Amino acid sequence: MLSIDGGGTRPICVLHILCEIMYRLSWDLGNITSRRCTTTPHIYPADYFDYIGGGGTGALVSFLLACGATAEEARDTFLRLAPQIKRVRSITDLQLLLQSTTSGCHTMRYRNECIIDIPSRTNIWIPSDTRQDAGFKGILIKKGKPVITCLLPLVATEIYKELTRQTKSSHYTLPFLQDVCPNTQNCSLLLSLGSISSPSRYPPTVSSSMQTGSMLSQWLSPYFPSSCSPVSWMAAPAVAQHQIPESNALERYIPPSAWGRTVIRLEPNLAIWNALGERRWPDEWEDKHFGEHKMLTKNYCSKADNEGRIDVVINILRACLLPGYSMA
């Protein structure tokens, strides 16, 4: 299971982490070596995760992976769409924008009719208020269902809700887990990716070093009082109000023995400071900072404790060998 948080352009950091995981998995499977790249097919995240859930702008990542994108393709598409998403004025505009990213449509049958669409490559969960009366917190689009017909309208609605600040939180791991896998013992892997303040068994290192006249990075604790940017396009109070209850709820829901073994949370909380003392966050839609966040996310993945968690993920994914792959 793969859970993806929202929060403006913060999923870009998530996609950098996913690219790193898929790259290391490709290396272990022999797709990439120091001398050559084999002709083995690309690795698609949707082939390794039975369920992918995402809310807010994280739903866009789920949509792209459901369409059959690799992690690198999803990242590049998100980077290209981010400046355009910020300017949309309606759900219809979002639907048209998302539909422009789809390719490889073909004829398929749905409800006894022939349509031009793309079958979902895996099961996709999207948060929704329409099923709360039935005890569910989201809608599950099963593998093989048409992506443009069934999934795209839900994703556009979810992104628009975040753009218009109608969402109360950008963290979706708990509702996703409760809907898809109520018994956590049946889950061999839950990989939760985000870059906002959220529950974690692994407190990040806080750096307080300053360098005058140069760009520097600072890793912020999930419970650091100023972890929500006052100039963020999202309403900072909405995240702060729901931060601690969600942390406690997830902590209680998942057995302590599962953390670090079958439940892995990776969350690079980072901010960039410039020589003028201005702070920049990953959710501020300024594409001139995307390259810097990529560098900082890569540094985050290279930290010893985070590398250990990534290794746990890769070892579990390696056990799910697909046709056409062999162990190196």
Side-chain angles (χ1 to χ4, degrees):
M1 296 171 59
L2 173 62
S3 175
I4 303 168
D5 287 345
T9 54
R10 291 177 186 257
I12 292 176
C13 298
V14 168
L15 285 166
H16 288 318
I17 295 176
L18 192 59
C19 287
E20 182 71 16
I21 292 174
M22 292 295 107
Y23 179 86
R24 296 187 188 186
L25 181 61
S26 295
W27 182 280
D28 286 353
L29 294 177
N31 288 14
I32 303 172
T33 67
S34 57
R35 297 181 180 178
R36 61 183 176 85
C37 291
T38 68
T39 57
T40 309
H42 291 292
I43 288 183
Y44 299 92
D47 290 344
Y48 281 88
F49 294 97
D50 297 316
Y51 295 90
I52 299 177
T57 49
L60 174 56
V61 180
S62 300
F63 174 78
L64 296 173
L65 298 181
C67 290
T70 64
E72 291 81 4
E73 291 169 344
R75 179 192 61 194
D76 294 343
T77 302
F78 197 109
L79 289 169
R80 177 170 54 85
L81 293 182
Q84 303 175 57
I85 290 176
K86 181 183 178 180
R87 295 191 294 267
V88 297
R89 293 294 179 264
S90 67
I91 295 180
T92 301
D93 293 340
L94 265 175
Q95 290 179 336
L96 294 174
L97 181 61
L98 296 181
Q99 191 164 353
S100 67
T101 66
T102 59
S103 60
C105 297
H106 57 82
T107 303
M108 59 178 294
R109 292 193 65 83
Y110 178 65
R111 294 182 176 176
N112 298 322
E113 295 182 3
C114 288
I115 61 174
I116 305 298
D117 214 311
I118 303 173
S120 178
R121 199 162 182 131
T122 189
N123 302 295
I124 301 295
W125 178 90
I126 301 294
S128 175
D129 299 331
T130 59
R131 300 191 67 200
Q132 288 190 354
D133 55 344
F136 294 98
K137 299 175 178 61
I139 297 177
L140 183 65
I141 303 299
K142 294 186 177 180
K143 181 179 180 179
K145 288 289 187 69
V147 168
I148 299 176
T149 302
C150 297
L151 182 60
L152 188 146
L154 298 174
V155 172
T157 301
E158 182 63 19
I159 296 175
Y160 190 74
K161 286 171 58 180
E162 188 173 292
L163 286 171
T164 54
R165 304 185 181 182
Q166 299 178 41
T167 55
K168 296 180 180 179
S169 171
S170 295
H171 184 266
Y172 299 93
T173 299
L174 181 58
F176 170 54
L177 186 60
Q178 289 174 330
D179 274 5
V180 174
C181 188
N183 186 357
T184 57
Q185 294 180 352
N186 296 332
C187 178
S188 59
L189 173 65
L190 170 61
L191 175 59
S192 178
L193 300 179
S195 60
I196 62 174
S197 299
S198 52
S200 176
R201 288 279 179 172
Y202 328 104
T205 302
V206 179
S207 173
S208 59
S209 59
M210 296 290 291
Q211 296 178 1
T212 304
S214 63
M215 190 73 69
L216 65 131
S217 63
Q218 182 177 16
W219 301 99
L220 300 176
S221 168
Y223 306 111
F224 195 75
S226 62
S227 58
C228 294
S229 171
V231 296
S232 170
W233 70 276
M234 281 193 61
V239 177
Q241 291 171 359
H242 294 262
Q243 173 179 320
I244 300 303
E246 289 176 355
S247 304
N248 297 336
L250 190 61
E251 293 281 348
R252 292 193 302 267
Y253 193 79
I254 297 177
S257 60
W259 289 97
R261 293 175 178 158
T262 59
V263 178
I264 303 296
R265 172 74 182 177
L266 294 169
E267 46 173 1
N269 290 304
L270 49 90
I272 297 176
W273 303 73
N274 62 18
L276 300 177
E278 299 171 334
R279 182 171 54 188
R280 292 292 179 263
W281 296 79
D283 59 352
E284 292 180 356
W285 302 94
E286 299 181 26
D287 53 0
K288 63 182 179 181
H289 297 298
F290 291 165
E292 295 161 358
H293 290 304
K294 176 181 178 180
M295 174 191 66
L296 296 177
T297 306
K298 196 170 186 66
N299 291 340
Y300 170 87
C301 293
S302 65
K303 289 177 177 288
D305 52 348
N306 296 327
E307 276 196 335
R309 291 170 210 142
I310 292 176
D311 287 341
V312 171
V313 174
I314 293 175
N315 288 336
I316 295 176
L317 296 181
R318 286 178 62 185
C320 307
L321 283 179
L322 303 177
Y325 292 93
S326 59
M327 296 302 296

